[in-house]
């Protein structure tokens, strides 16, 4: 029978090859409700989000706030990808009549809930992808008119965003895994990303009932030298400055998974020891995990607190190269033109697979789409699907979506030239010489998997492996984000209005003033002041009636 | 800066900090226009509640400003200024609309006293860290990042406030004595002539503390039964997940029919020009050959 309410929490710790450590928190609340009929009673599901969903007829909502850029080549693939800055994409229900107005209201309400500047999302940075960002939950059809995607690459994530995010959890930050989420350690990291994902999911195998799932995820990568003081030894206390004392009482499952797949020769040791092992197929690979079950009292031992310690003895072993990887940069010189290069690497030795590239470029970089070239291994590679929506100044951005087949073991380069526009002087930000951000490109792909993926939805699986739904066993879906670009637009000198006013007024005053005086002044000859003797003589002459000297 | 204010208020006056009393405005939104709109309440209807100042005629408001300033102005984000006249007018608007009961205005900038010189609305008490013609100085630098983290007046004000607890009887005269010239190098000033009560009788906790009134009742309220989940009839059709990258479907996607718009003014003007030039050159008699 479907469960009315369920809350699960888990933490996955994956030691990375470079010595850094990657921790991924997931908090999942599943609520069996018919949300189209209106929701009235909230228990574990946060009321603020529930009201947003019912008021704006939202089918799926995905919002993420990220600080830092995920380095795929050094760290591998993340469990949940996210671009730097803020990203929001929403699927609305079919009943919505004016999607754009609803989107604008939704972004304002979300900016209030998460204390972020999401109200800067407007028509100049919102796009409607035509093939990417298919719904991650259950759906009848996919009419892309109800999808909106926006990204704010300039958004900074800080404590004020973390606090309302933590408030949405059933146990808050008082019990369970959320006690580890202390901002002074979380923001002292190389990468920090927090996200909220709401979608309808299947509850059981025949999938006759739909439930609403809320996943709150937090990914953080701690740097070996900044947080780890150079020593390759990690513990919960070193990472978060807290230890765990209990699971969240409202959670049906509360687990910590440590990825021990790369440890066949015991390069690192784990303490306290645990004999619970679990295997899961995630990101196309079968990984082994040591599990700590926080719902069992025995996990906490006699000290009543759990501090997992990972100590390295040797540092051999190499990393599995990620199969798909993307980069982007701006080429060119000067402030008039430039060229955007996007490189996609297919590191599979013999299989090729298709990728969908989504590029959303702001209107002030005018793309010359006739210069778009896609080359793989030096030869032209024609995409099988291109969707381009040109920009309109100050109204919408460029949208470019392409389906490209990447040949095996190759680099595919997509180049397009652009020209920079001159903005009106009020449109510049207070720090215009910093540059203007262009949001990350999104590369969505079905990558061939080395082991059979699990397509059974109801088997008990760890949360991190069930985020993207898998329909077939031989491939898995990933999304890779490129770097955001920072381009300088021709910036005027903002002191010029003042300079111009001063100079003009001076020129007018000096030039016109003197000319006017020359034209209109009349000159009179003036006698110099006569001496004393002459003055007395003039007085006597006046008395005599004789004209003066 | 904002984090220390929250920490101070939440740690010493009420736990946890109720988000209704402190308004968080993210950095991108901090402009003079937004600040004045928050004060006067003239915000677009889509602004969420957490970004509005939901005050009425029984609210005491504390406004604390710090940064760079000068004689009669305060800098916002290095690109715009707010003047003392604008601020005074905004407070008068608030008074006319009954948006505050009493207002405490603290400013820590150079020549801060110039900012409160122009106030003319009742029930405002103002404190500044320096007089006109003086500079407010900053406190010690953080040697790790080489930047001064706090101003002197703010530092000593914080030190003073850390000794205040919710039941304290300290009054405004004690607040006026914070940071004398020996510590602050500048002369702090204050203005109480607009305030109707005697500063001696005004408690600091009137502005810095807040107690939520809790009424305890032993009555039992019966909640009605929850709405019946009317799923007696199970759905016949099954739900399913969507293919994330349906390649064949994408390739064969039909391009969407774009709505027909009547020709733009530019196109119409262009065609009119072409026709005019044609008939001017060749004469109107050719019309009958065409039609």
């Amino acid at each position: 029978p479907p469960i009315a309410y369920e809350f699960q929490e888990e933490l996955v710790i994956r030691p990375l090859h470079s010595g850094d450590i990657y921790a991924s928190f997931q908090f999942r609340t599943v609520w069996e409700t018919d949300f189209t009929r209106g929701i009235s009673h909230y228990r574990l599901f946060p009321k603020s989000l529930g009201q947003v969903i019912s008021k704006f007829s939202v089918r799926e909502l995905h919002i993420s706030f990220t600080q830092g850029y995920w380095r795929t080549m050094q760290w591998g693939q993340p469990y949940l990808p996210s671009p730097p800055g803020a990203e929001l994409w929403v699927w609305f229900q079919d009943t919505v009549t004016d999607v754009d107005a609803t989107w604008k209201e939704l972004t304002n309400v979300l900016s209030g809930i998460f204390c972020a500047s999401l109200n800067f999302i407007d028509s100049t940075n919102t796009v409607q992808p035509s093939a990417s960002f298919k719904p991650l939950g259950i759906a009848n059809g996919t009419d892309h008119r109800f999808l909106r995607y926006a990204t704010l690459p300039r958004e900074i994530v800080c404590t004020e965003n973390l606090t309302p995010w933590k408030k949405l959890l059933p146990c808050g930050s008082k019990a369970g895994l959320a006690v580890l989420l202390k901002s002074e350690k979380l923001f002292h990291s190389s990468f920090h990303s927090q996200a909220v994902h709401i979608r309808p999911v299947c509850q059981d195998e025949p999938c006759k009932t739909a439930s609403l799932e809320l996943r709150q995820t937090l990914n953080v990568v701690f740097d070996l030298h900044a947080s780890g003081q150079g020593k390759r030894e990690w513990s919960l206390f070193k990472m978060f400055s807290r230890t765990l004392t209990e699971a969240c009482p409202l959670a049906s499952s509360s687990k910590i998974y440590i990825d021990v797949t790369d440890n066949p020769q015991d390069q690192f040791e784990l303490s306290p020891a645990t004999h619970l092992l679990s295997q899961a197929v995630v990101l196309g690979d079968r990984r082994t995990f040591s599990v700590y079950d926080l719902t069992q009292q025995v996990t906490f031992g006699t000290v009543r607190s759990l501090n997992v310690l990972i100590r390295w003895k040797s540092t051999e072993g190499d990393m599995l190269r990620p199969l798909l990887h993307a980069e982007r940069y701006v080429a060119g010189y000067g402030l008039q033109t430039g060229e955007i290069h996007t490189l996609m690497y297919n590191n599979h030795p013999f299989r090729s697979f298709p990728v969908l590239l989504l590029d959303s470029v702001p209107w002030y970089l005018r793309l010359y789409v006739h210069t778009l070239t896609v080359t793989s291994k030096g030869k032209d590679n024609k995409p099988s699907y291109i969707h381009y929506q040109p920009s309109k100044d100050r109204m919408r951005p460029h949208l470019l979506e392409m389906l490209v087949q990447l040949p095996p073991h190759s680099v595919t380069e997509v180049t397009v030239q652009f020209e920079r526009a001159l903005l009106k002087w009020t449109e510049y930000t207070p720090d215009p010489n910093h540059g203007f951000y262009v949001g990350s490109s999104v590369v969505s792909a079905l990558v061939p998997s080395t082991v059979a993926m699990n397509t059974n939805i109801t088997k008990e699986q760890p949360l991190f492996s069930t985020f993207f739904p898998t329909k077939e066993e031989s491939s898995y879906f990933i999304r890779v984000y490129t770097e955001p670009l920072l381009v300088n637009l021709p910036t005027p000198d903002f002191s010029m209005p003042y300079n111009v006013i001063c100079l003009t007024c001076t020129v007018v005053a000096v030039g016109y003033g003197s000319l006017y005086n020359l034209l209109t002044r009349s000159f009179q000859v003036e006698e110099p002041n006569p001496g004393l003797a002459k003055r007395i003589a003039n007085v006597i002459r006046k008395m005599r009636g004789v004209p003066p000297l | 800066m904002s984090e220390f204010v929250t920490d101070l208020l939440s740690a010493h006056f009420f736990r946890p900090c109720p988000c209704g009393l402190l308004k968080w405005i993210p950095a991108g939104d901090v402009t003079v226009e937004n600040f004045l709109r928050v004060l006067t309440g003239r915000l677009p209807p889509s602004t969420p509640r957490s970004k509005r100042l939901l005050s009425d005629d029984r609210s005491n408001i504390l406004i604390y400003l710090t940064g760079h300033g000068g004689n009669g102005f305060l800098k916002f984000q290095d690109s715009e200024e707010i003047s003392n006249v604008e601020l005074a007018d905004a407070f008068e608007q608030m008074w006319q609309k009954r948006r505050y009961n009493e207002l405490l205005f603290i400013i820590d900038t150079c020549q801060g006293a110039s900012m409160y010189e122009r106030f003319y609305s009742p029930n405002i008490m103002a404190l500044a860290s320096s007089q006109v013609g003086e500079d407010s100085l900053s406190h010690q630098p953080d040697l790790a990042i080489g930047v001064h983290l706090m101003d002197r007046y703010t530092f000593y004000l914080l030190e003073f406030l850390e000794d205040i607890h919710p039941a304290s009887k300290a009054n405004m005269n004690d607040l006026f004595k914070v940071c004398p010239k020996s510590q602050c190098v500048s002369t702090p000033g204050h203005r109480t002539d607009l305030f109707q009560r005697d500063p001696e009788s005004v408690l600091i906790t009137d502005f810095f503390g807040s107690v939520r009134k809790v009424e305890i009742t032993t009555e039992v309220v019966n909640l009605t039964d929850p709405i019946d989940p009317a799923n007696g009839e199970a759905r016949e059709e099954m739900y399913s997940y969507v293919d994330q990258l349906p390649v064949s479907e994408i390739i064969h996607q039909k391009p969407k029919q774009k709505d027909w718009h009547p020709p733009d003014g530019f196109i119409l003007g262009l065609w009119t020009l072409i026709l005019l030039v044609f008939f001017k050159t060749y004469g109107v008699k050719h019309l009958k050959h065409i039609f």
Side-chain angles (χ1 to χ4, degrees):
Chain A
I3 319 155
Y5 263 110
E6 195 189 9
F7 174 63
Q8 297 163 303
E9 54 178 21
E10 78 175 25
L11 163 64
V12 182
I13 297 183
R14 185 167 102 193
L16 299 170
H17 181 66
S18 49
D20 309 326
I21 194 150
Y22 168 37
S24 171
F25 292 82
Q26 278 209 41
F27 302 92
R28 178 180 185 245
T29 309
V30 181
W31 186 22
E32 203 241 308
T33 174
D34 188 4
F35 41 91
T36 48
R37 280 198 312 157
I39 312 172
S40 55
H41 179 60
Y42 295 89
R43 228 187 97 213
L44 294 181
F45 201 90
K47 185 172 171 196
S48 48
L49 289 181
Q51 285 178 326
V52 162
I53 294 171
S54 50
K55 180 165 180 215
F56 297 110
S57 306
V58 167
R59 193 165 77 192
E60 274 193 35
L61 182 119
H62 301 270
I63 184 167
S64 74
F65 299 96
T66 310
Q67 178 83 353
Y69 174 65
W70 181 269
R71 297 173 199 288
T72 315
M73 289 310 276
Q74 288 151 328
W75 298 341
Q77 293 284 1
Y79 297 122
L80 294 136
S82 51
E87 186 202 39
L88 171 67
W89 58 282
V90 174
W91 274 94
F92 290 96
Q93 305 269 12
D94 306 353
T95 52
V96 174
T97 42
D98 189 355
V99 182
D100 288 317
T102 322
W103 168 255
K104 189 83 184 100
E105 285 179 36
L106 176 67
T107 49
N108 274 313
V109 168
L110 288 176
S111 83
I113 294 178
F114 292 105
C115 288
S117 302
L118 294 176
N119 47 323
F120 284 128
I121 293 179
D122 54 11
S123 64
T124 59
N125 46 25
T126 308
V127 289
Q128 185 186 318
S130 65
S132 312
F133 291 103
K134 295 255 183 258
L136 287 174
I138 54 184
N140 284 343
T142 55
D143 188 352
H144 279 261
R145 280 182 299 145
F146 295 101
L147 168 65
R148 289 292 182 274
Y149 172 80
T151 168
L152 289 172
R154 212 190 167 113
E155 185 72 12
I156 305 172
V157 186
C158 50
T159 322
E160 277 108 39
N161 305 115
L162 183 64
T163 314
W165 186 93
K166 281 197 287 189
K167 271 209 226 170
L168 298 172
L169 297 170
C171 280
S173 50
K174 307 269 189 316
L177 290 170
V179 301
L180 297 176
L181 302 176
K182 291 296 160 196
S183 43
E184 57 278 358
K185 281 293 199 173
L186 281 182
F187 289 101
H188 193 63
S189 57
S190 312
F191 178 84
H192 170 98
S193 168
Q194 61 201 50
V196 172
H197 300 276
I198 303 177
R199 57 178 180 166
V201 290
C202 288
Q203 270 283 57
D204 44 6
E205 182 41 38
C207 207
K208 290 278 181 66
T209 42
S211 323
L212 195 59
E213 176 197 75
L214 164 70
R215 276 198 201 216
Q216 286 181 255
T217 64
L218 196 139
N219 291 348
V220 61
V221 175
F222 291 104
D223 185 63
L224 173 67
H225 300 283
S227 319
Q229 288 112 38
K231 246 176 59 172
R232 200 159 176 199
E233 182 186 296
W234 291 104
S235 71
L236 283 184
F237 191 77
K238 198 172 185 191
M239 291 195 276
F240 305 106
S241 66
R242 291 285 184 289
T243 58
L244 291 165
T245 49
E246 57 167 343
C248 174
L250 301 165
S252 62
S253 109
S254 177
K255 293 200 171 104
I256 300 184
Y257 293 85
I258 318 277
D259 191 332
V260 295
T261 326
D262 298 321
N263 198 21
Q265 289 98 30
D266 280 335
Q267 278 125 13
F268 60 81
E269 69 165 290
L270 206 57
S271 80
T274 173
H275 46 267
L276 288 170
L277 277 182
S278 147
Q279 287 207 333
V281 179
V282 61
L283 295 172
D285 198 14
R286 183 175 297 279
R287 314 287 292 179
T288 316
F289 297 90
S290 293
V291 185
Y292 292 87
D293 192 347
L294 297 179
T295 48
Q296 310 290 329
Q297 226 6 66
V298 66
T299 319
F300 298 104
T302 44
V303 295
R304 304 279 184 85
S305 105
L306 174 66
N307 182 20
V308 180
L309 182 65
I310 312 173
R311 198 182 291 120
W312 266 264
K313 297 198 277 252
S314 61
T315 52
E316 298 120 32
D318 45 26
M319 196 184 75
L320 187 71
R321 265 164 71 93
L323 289 177
L324 178 65
H325 167 56
E327 275 174 6
R328 194 165 72 148
Y329 57 88
V330 172
Y333 58 90
L335 284 176
Q336 193 184 358
T337 51
E339 211 170 274
I340 299 182
H341 290 246
T342 311
L343 283 89
M344 294 182 281
Y345 295 83
N346 178 358
N347 294 325
H348 202 284
F350 50 86
R351 292 279 299 273
S352 72
F353 49 85
V355 300
L356 194 56
L357 173 67
L358 172 82
D359 246 323
S360 161
V361 179
W363 62 268
Y364 39 80
L365 296 187
R366 305 189 206 272
L367 293 183
Y368 292 133
V369 182
H370 71 282
T371 56
L372 175 70
T373 58
V374 184
T375 44
S376 308
K377 288 181 173 167
K379 291 201 294 275
D380 209 21
N381 182 354
K382 192 160 147 37
S384 31
Y385 170 79
I386 301 186
H387 172 77
Y388 174 64
Q389 191 184 49
S391 71
K392 220 172 182 185
D393 271 7
R394 297 179 183 88
M395 281 194 50
R396 15 166 238 260
H398 298 269
L399 173 67
L400 181 62
E401 270 185 281
M402 292 193 294
L403 185 69
V404 185
Q405 188 83 2
L406 300 185
H409 207 69
S410 68
V411 180
T412 305
E413 187 169 346
V414 178
T415 59
V416 61
Q417 289 178 7
F418 65 88
E419 181 193 64
R420 297 168 216 236
L422 188 64
L423 298 180
K424 294 183 184 167
W425 74 288
T426 46
E427 290 172 344
Y428 287 95
T429 50
D431 52 348
N433 289 299
H434 179 77
F436 287 78
Y437 282 94
V438 178
S440 314
S441 299
V442 188
V443 179
S444 319
L446 274 177
V447 180
S449 153
T450 46
V451 295
M453 301 293 295
N454 192 339
T455 52
N456 189 345
I457 47 170
T458 49
K459 195 166 96 95
E460 220 13 77
Q461 284 176 79
L463 295 177
F464 56 87
S465 58
T466 55
F467 186 63
F468 288 115
T470 40
K471 284 222 135 167
E472 42 158 12
E473 290 183 339
S474 57
S475 57
Y476 62 99
F477 178 77
I478 53 166
R479 214 169 261 146
V480 176
Y481 291 93
T482 63
E483 299 98 328
L485 299 175
L486 190 59
V487 287
N488 267 14
L489 289 184
T491 310
D493 182 358
F494 291 100
S495 61
M496 276 317 281
Y498 167 76
N499 293 345
V500 166
I501 292 172
C502 283
L503 192 65
T504 318
C505 290
T506 312
V507 166
V508 166
V510 171
Y512 177 72
S514 22
L515 190 69
Y516 178 79
N517 278 339
L518 279 175
L519 291 176
T520 54
R521 221 185 272 166
S522 60
F523 289 95
Q524 293 167 324
V525 179
E526 198 181 274
E527 289 273 328
N529 224 358
L532 187 62
K534 256 202 187 163
R535 267 195 271 155
I536 295 173
N538 279 336
V539 167
I540 298 171
R541 285 171 88 111
K542 206 159 50 171
M543 285 193 309
R544 279 172 55 197
V546 175
L549 287 168
Chain B
M1 200 65 201
S2 53
E3 275 160 46
F4 107 76
V5 171
T6 326
D7 287 342
L8 165 69
L9 292 174
S10 55
H12 294 276
F13 296 102
F14 36 79
R15 308 174 183 267
C17 172
C19 215
L21 296 183
L22 266 184
K23 300 294 155 191
W24 288 121
I25 316 254
D29 287 345
V30 178
T31 58
V32 173
E33 187 198 335
N34 275 346
F35 176 57
L36 293 177
R37 279 183 187 276
V38 166
L39 286 181
T40 54
R42 291 206 165 99
L43 290 160
S46 53
T47 317
R49 279 175 65 91
S50 64
K51 288 194 181 170
R52 287 178 193 266
L53 183 66
L54 303 160
S55 62
D56 54 18
D57 61 327
R58 293 174 315 159
S59 319
N60 287 353
I61 303 185
L62 164 70
I63 298 183
Y64 172 79
L65 298 175
T66 184
H68 284 300
N71 193 352
F73 68 93
L74 169 77
K75 268 174 91 166
F76 266 66
Q77 288 229 54
D78 221 13
S79 70
E80 14 173 45
E81 305 95 31
I82 187 172
S83 67
N84 47 4
V85 178
E86 279 176 348
L87 206 51
D89 287 339
F91 288 158
E92 177 64 15
Q93 280 191 54
M94 287 171 79
W95 175 252
Q96 297 287 339
K97 286 159 103 170
R98 300 282 178 266
R99 279 172 74 80
Y100 71 89
N101 174 33
E102 287 173 349
L103 200 142
L104 177 63
F105 178 79
I106 305 181
I107 183 158
D108 186 0
T109 63
C110 300
Q111 308 192 52
S114 61
M115 289 303 283
Y116 62 62
E117 273 171 0
R118 300 292 202 114
F119 292 164
Y120 55 95
S121 320
N123 282 353
I124 300 185
M125 192 178 309
L127 281 109
S129 61
S130 55
Q131 301 292 336
V132 176
E134 286 182 346
D135 289 336
S136 290
L137 303 174
S138 45
H139 206 58
Q140 84 282 13
D142 182 336
L143 294 168
I145 56 178
V147 182
H148 290 264
L149 291 181
M150 210 188 272
D151 300 325
R152 281 178 191 243
Y153 184 74
T154 307
F155 180 79
Y156 290 109
L157 184 67
L158 175 62
E159 216 176 50
F160 172 77
L161 288 172
E162 275 182 343
D163 290 331
I164 310 287
H165 53 88
S168 157
K169 293 284 168 217
N171 57 35
M172 281 297 165
N173 279 340
D174 303 323
L175 200 62
F176 296 154
K177 295 202 203 89
V178 164
C179 205
K181 196 169 164 100
S182 52
Q183 284 176 323
C184 257
V185 186
S186 55
T187 322
H190 53 90
R191 181 175 176 180
T192 53
D193 57 318
L194 294 167
F195 211 77
Q196 274 155 20
R197 291 194 286 154
D198 186 22
E200 182 97 33
S201 63
V202 179
L203 297 176
I204 292 184
T205 51
D206 276 354
F207 293 100
F208 281 93
S210 157
V211 178
R212 286 254 161 94
K213 293 230 178 321
V214 177
E215 288 178 21
I216 304 194
T217 171
T218 50
E219 275 176 32
V220 170
V221 178
N222 275 330
L223 295 172
T224 53
D225 281 332
I227 303 170
D228 278 322
N231 56 358
E233 71 294 345
R235 280 181 61 99
E236 285 315 313
E237 62 280 23
M238 285 186 1
Y239 294 108
S240 63
Y241 288 100
V242 182
D243 221 349
Q244 288 299 308
L245 195 67
V247 177
S248 52
E249 206 183 287
I250 292 174
I251 293 176
H252 300 302
Q253 227 173 349
K254 272 204 292 288
K256 279 183 277 292
Q257 297 295 341
K258 292 207 59 159
D259 302 324
W260 183 80
H261 292 289
D264 213 2
F266 173 72
I267 302 291
L268 278 174
L270 188 68
W271 278 109
T272 317
L273 181 70
I274 291 170
L275 285 172
L276 272 175
V277 169
F278 175 78
F279 288 116
K280 197 82 198 305
T281 333
Y282 294 107
V284 185
K285 63 182 190 299
H286 279 107
L287 256 182
K288 62 174 178 293
H289 291 284
I290 299 166
F291 293 108

